[in-house]
Amino acid sequence: QKEVEQDPGPLSVPEGAIVSLNCTYSNSAFQYFMWYRQYSRKGPELLMYTYSSGNKEDGRFTAQVDKSSKYISLFIRDSQPSDSATYLCAMGVDSNYQLIWGAGTKLIIKP
Amino acid sequence: DAGVTQSPTHLIKTRGQQVTLRCSPKSGHDTVSWYQQALGQGPQFIFQYYEEEERQRGNFPDRFSGHQFPNYSSELNVNALLLGDSALYLCASSLVGADEQFFGPGTRLTVL
């Protein structure tokens, strides 16, 4: 069993829909949780990070962490075609040490 | 302000050869991490350098080695290349103690 599980998709939704992306993990020592966006042939770009349970909002993006269930989510409101990319969750015990990554979910927003 | 830069962009090698990849961190950053990302997978941590020392290492064989220079730039060396080493190699820089790592565009290595 992988430490971090993420559905690879693809997930295809119409423009304007609310998108929900999820990861589960098995290591209860993880304290830092991050969401990255990766466009084709580019490096990952940090979208959001959090180190506590609960919700964190930034514009159209909301990150949610449930440590009791070992489950994290990223919600995207008013999705746009430009949001089409692969979304990777990453987590770690210490934010400045190695991150353990999910495989990424490919998201397609249809105009 | 330039972000993280990596060179070369693409590289084709044959089995058994050796390769060196280069990374320049974002201005002001002192820590460099290297990751291997196979097609359709998330990045896997190779190692991290700080103050010219390897600070932490992932589950990669000794064929993978690195170096950090006094100007904080870094190299990743891979010896005795295998077909399975074909991947996107990502460099990420950060400031020690900070939460965020910034990634470069990667070097795509193809081993034939």
Side-chain angles (χ1 to χ4, degrees):
Chain A
Q1 183 189 7
K2 293 182 180 179
E3 276 192 287
V4 179
E5 299 277 1
Q6 185 177 11
D7 187 335
L11 175 63
S12 183
V13 301
E15 182 177 356
I18 296 175
V19 175
S20 173
L21 303 165
N22 311 294
C23 289
T24 59
Y25 62 96
S26 58
N27 188 346
S28 58
F30 287 148
Q31 298 293 326
Y32 288 85
F33 305 91
M34 301 178 179
W35 285 97
Y36 283 81
R37 177 175 62 195
Q38 186 173 26
Y39 292 111
S40 180
R41 302 186 181 278
K42 302 288 186 182
E45 169 194 13
L46 180 66
L47 285 175
M48 300 191 69
Y49 76 90
T50 182
Y51 53 88
S52 60
S53 286
N55 293 353
K56 181 177 180 180
E57 189 173 319
D58 184 2
R60 296 186 297 112
F61 299 92
T62 299
Q64 189 175 78
V65 174
D66 182 348
K67 288 185 179 180
S68 62
S69 301
K70 298 188 181 68
Y71 189 89
I72 68 171
S73 300
L74 177 71
F75 299 95
I76 307 174
R77 291 182 298 280
D78 188 24
S79 56
Q80 305 294 313
S82 59
D83 294 328
S84 297
T86 295
Y87 289 78
L88 298 136
C89 64
M91 50 198 78
V93 174
D94 182 310
S95 64
N96 209 30
Y97 279 77
Q98 65 171 306
L99 296 175
I100 308 300
W101 296 71
T105 298
K106 184 174 183 178
L107 174 65
I108 301 168
I109 308 297
K110 298 175 293 184
Chain B
D1 175 27
V4 179
T5 60
Q6 292 186 244
S7 62
T9 306
H10 297 90
L11 206 49
I12 299 175
K13 292 285 187 179
T14 56
R15 282 180 298 174
Q17 285 189 311
Q18 178 264 343
V19 68
T20 297
L21 311 182
R22 295 177 175 81
C23 171
S24 291
K26 185 176 170 65
S27 177
H29 285 185
D30 55 12
T31 302
V32 173
S33 301
W34 286 93
Y35 292 83
Q36 180 194 67
Q37 186 177 23
L39 197 62
Q41 301 295 318
Q44 284 197 295
F45 177 79
I46 303 175
F47 41 55
Q48 183 183 79
Y49 277 85
Y50 171 67
E51 291 190 338
E52 303 180 50
E53 297 284 334
E54 184 181 289
R55 199 175 176 208
Q56 192 176 14
R57 189 180 182 92
N59 190 25
F60 278 79
D62 292 344
R63 298 187 297 109
F64 290 78
S65 63
H67 188 77
Q68 186 179 33
F69 299 93
N71 67 353
Y72 306 118
S73 66
S74 177
E75 288 182 349
L76 165 65
N77 300 293
V78 187
N79 294 322
L81 285 167
L82 303 174
L83 295 179
D85 294 332
S86 295
L88 180 68
Y89 287 84
L90 295 163
C91 168
S93 75
S94 59
L95 199 55
V96 66
D99 292 330
E100 186 172 355
Q101 295 185 19
F102 291 81
F103 282 81
T107 293
R108 186 160 298 280
L109 173 65
T110 301
V111 182
L112 302 176

Coordinates of all heavy atoms in Angstrom, one line a residue, chain B residues 15-45:
Chain B
R15 N 22.1 3.3 -22.4 CA 22.4 2.5 -21.1 C 23.9 2.5 -20.8 O 24.7 2.3 -21.7 CB 21.8 1.1 -21.3 CG 20.3 1.0 -21.1 CD 19.9 -0.5 -21.3 NE 20.2 -0.9 -22.6 CZ 20.0 -2.2 -23.0 NH1 19.6 -3.1 -22.2 NH2 20.3 -2.6 -24.2
G16 N 24.2 2.6 -19.5 CA 25.6 2.5 -19.1 C 26.3 3.8 -19.1 O 27.3 3.9 -18.4
Q17 N 25.7 4.8 -19.7 CA 26.4 6.2 -19.7 C 26.2 6.9 -18.4 O 25.4 6.4 -17.5 CB 25.9 7.0 -20.9 CG 26.4 6.6 -22.2 CD 26.1 7.6 -23.3 OE1 24.9 8.0 -23.5 NE2 27.1 8.0 -24.1
Q18 N 26.8 8.0 -18.3 CA 26.7 8.9 -17.1 C 26.1 10.2 -17.5 O 26.3 10.6 -18.7 CB 28.1 9.0 -16.5 CG 28.1 9.9 -15.2 CD 28.5 11.4 -15.6 OE1 29.0 11.7 -16.6 NE2 28.1 12.3 -14.7
V19 N 25.3 10.8 -16.6 CA 24.7 12.1 -16.9 C 24.8 13.1 -15.8 O 24.9 12.6 -14.6 CB 23.2 11.9 -17.3 CG1 22.4 11.5 -16.1 CG2 22.6 13.1 -18.0
T20 N 24.9 14.4 -16.1 CA 24.9 15.4 -15.1 C 23.9 16.4 -15.4 O 23.8 17.0 -16.5 CB 26.3 16.1 -15.0 OG1 27.3 15.2 -14.6 CG2 26.3 17.2 -14.0
L21 N 23.0 16.7 -14.4 CA 21.9 17.7 -14.6 C 22.3 18.8 -13.6 O 22.8 18.6 -12.5 CB 20.6 17.0 -14.2 CG 20.2 15.7 -14.9 CD1 18.9 15.2 -14.5 CD2 20.4 15.8 -16.4
R22 N 21.8 20.0 -14.0 CA 22.2 21.2 -13.3 C 21.0 22.0 -12.8 O 20.0 22.0 -13.5 CB 23.2 22.1 -14.1 CG 24.5 21.4 -14.3 CD 25.4 22.2 -15.2 NE 26.7 21.6 -15.3 CZ 27.0 20.6 -16.1 NH1 26.0 20.1 -17.0 NH2 28.2 20.0 -16.2
C23 N 21.1 22.7 -11.7 CA 20.0 23.5 -11.2 C 20.5 24.7 -10.5 O 21.5 24.7 -9.7 CB 19.3 22.6 -10.1 SG 18.0 23.5 -9.2
S24 N 19.9 25.9 -10.8 CA 20.2 27.1 -10.1 C 18.9 27.5 -9.3 O 17.8 27.6 -9.9 CB 20.5 28.2 -11.1 OG 21.7 28.0 -11.7
P25 N 19.1 27.7 -8.0 CA 17.9 27.9 -7.2 C 17.4 29.3 -7.3 O 18.1 30.2 -7.9 CB 18.5 27.7 -5.7 CG 19.9 28.0 -5.8 CD 20.3 27.6 -7.2
K26 N 16.2 29.6 -6.9 CA 15.6 30.9 -6.8 C 16.5 31.8 -6.0 O 17.1 31.4 -5.0 CB 14.2 30.8 -6.2 CG 13.4 32.0 -6.2 CD 12.0 31.7 -5.7 CE 11.2 33.0 -5.4 NZ 10.9 33.7 -6.6
S27 N 16.6 33.1 -6.4 CA 17.4 34.0 -5.7 C 17.1 34.1 -4.2 O 15.9 34.2 -3.8 CB 17.3 35.4 -6.3 OG 18.0 36.4 -5.6
G28 N 18.1 33.9 -3.4 CA 17.9 34.0 -1.9 C 17.7 32.6 -1.3 O 17.7 32.5 0.0
H29 N 17.5 31.6 -2.1 CA 17.3 30.3 -1.5 C 18.6 29.6 -1.3 O 19.5 29.7 -2.1 CB 16.4 29.4 -2.4 CG 14.9 29.8 -2.4 ND1 14.0 29.1 -3.0 CD2 14.3 30.8 -1.7 CE1 12.8 29.7 -2.8 NE2 13.0 30.7 -2.0
D30 N 18.6 28.7 -0.2 CA 19.9 28.1 0.1 C 19.8 26.5 0.1 O 20.8 25.9 0.4 CB 20.4 28.6 1.5 CG 19.3 28.4 2.6 OD1 18.3 27.7 2.3 OD2 19.5 28.9 3.7
T31 N 18.6 26.0 -0.1 CA 18.4 24.6 0.0 C 17.8 24.1 -1.4 O 17.0 24.7 -2.0 CB 17.3 24.3 1.1 OG1 17.8 24.8 2.3 CG2 17.1 22.8 1.2
V32 N 18.4 23.0 -1.8 CA 18.0 22.4 -3.1 C 17.6 20.9 -2.9 O 18.4 20.2 -2.3 CB 19.1 22.5 -4.2 CG1 18.8 21.7 -5.4 CG2 19.4 24.0 -4.5
S33 N 16.5 20.6 -3.5 CA 16.0 19.2 -3.4 C 15.9 18.7 -4.9 O 15.5 19.4 -5.8 CB 14.7 19.0 -2.7 OG 14.8 19.5 -1.4
W34 N 16.1 17.4 -5.1 CA 16.0 16.8 -6.4 C 14.9 15.7 -6.3 O 14.8 14.9 -5.3 CB 17.3 16.1 -6.8 CG 18.3 17.1 -7.3 CD1 19.3 17.7 -6.5 CD2 18.5 17.7 -8.6 NE1 20.1 18.5 -7.3 CE2 19.6 18.5 -8.6 CE3 17.8 17.5 -9.8 CZ2 20.1 19.2 -9.7 CZ3 18.3 18.2 -10.9 CH2 19.4 19.0 -10.9
Y35 N 14.1 15.6 -7.3 CA 13.0 14.6 -7.4 C 13.1 14.0 -8.8 O 13.5 14.6 -9.8 CB 11.7 15.3 -7.3 CG 11.4 15.8 -5.9 CD1 11.8 17.1 -5.5 CD2 10.6 15.1 -5.0 CE1 11.6 17.6 -4.3 CE2 10.4 15.6 -3.7 CZ 10.8 16.9 -3.4 OH 10.5 17.4 -2.2
Q36 N 12.7 12.7 -8.8 CA 12.5 12.0 -10.1 C 11.0 11.8 -10.3 O 10.3 11.3 -9.4 CB 13.2 10.6 -10.0 CG 13.0 9.8 -11.3 CD 13.4 8.3 -11.1 OE1 12.7 7.6 -10.3 NE2 14.5 7.9 -11.7
Q37 N 10.5 12.1 -11.5 CA 9.1 11.9 -11.8 C 8.9 11.1 -13.0 O 9.2 11.6 -14.1 CB 8.3 13.3 -12.0 CG 6.8 13.1 -12.1 CD 6.1 14.5 -12.2 OE1 6.7 15.5 -12.6 NE2 4.8 14.4 -11.9
A38 N 8.5 9.9 -12.8 CA 8.2 9.0 -14.0 C 6.9 9.4 -14.6 O 6.0 10.0 -13.9 CB 8.2 7.5 -13.5
L39 N 6.7 9.0 -15.8 CA 5.5 9.4 -16.5 C 4.2 8.9 -15.8 O 4.2 7.7 -15.4 CB 5.5 8.8 -18.0 CG 4.6 9.4 -19.0 CD1 4.9 10.9 -19.2 CD2 4.7 8.7 -20.3
G40 N 3.3 9.8 -15.5 CA 2.1 9.4 -14.9 C 2.2 9.1 -13.4 O 1.2 8.6 -12.8
Q41 N 3.3 9.5 -12.8 CA 3.5 9.3 -11.4 C 3.8 10.7 -10.7 O 4.2 11.7 -11.4 CB 4.7 8.4 -11.1 CG 4.5 7.0 -11.7 CD 3.3 6.3 -11.1 OE1 3.2 6.3 -9.9 NE2 2.5 5.6 -11.9
G42 N 3.7 10.7 -9.4 CA 4.1 11.8 -8.6 C 5.6 11.8 -8.5 O 6.3 10.8 -8.7
P43 N 6.2 13.0 -8.2 CA 7.7 13.0 -7.9 C 8.1 12.2 -6.8 O 7.4 12.0 -5.8 CB 7.9 14.5 -7.6 CG 6.7 15.2 -8.2 CD 5.6 14.3 -8.0
Q44 N 9.3 11.6 -6.9 CA 9.9 10.8 -5.8 C 11.2 11.5 -5.4 O 12.0 11.9 -6.2 CB 10.2 9.4 -6.2 CG 9.0 8.5 -6.3 CD 9.4 7.0 -6.4 OE1 10.0 6.6 -7.3 NE2 9.0 6.3 -5.3
F45 N 11.3 11.7 -4.1 CA 12.4 12.5 -3.5 C 13.7 11.7 -3.7 O 13.8 10.5 -3.3 CB 12.1 12.7 -2.0 CG 13.2 13.4 -1.3 CD1 13.4 14.7 -1.3 CD2 14.0 12.6 -0.4 CE1 14.4 15.4 -0.6 CE2 15.0 13.3 0.3 CZ 15.2 14.6 0.2

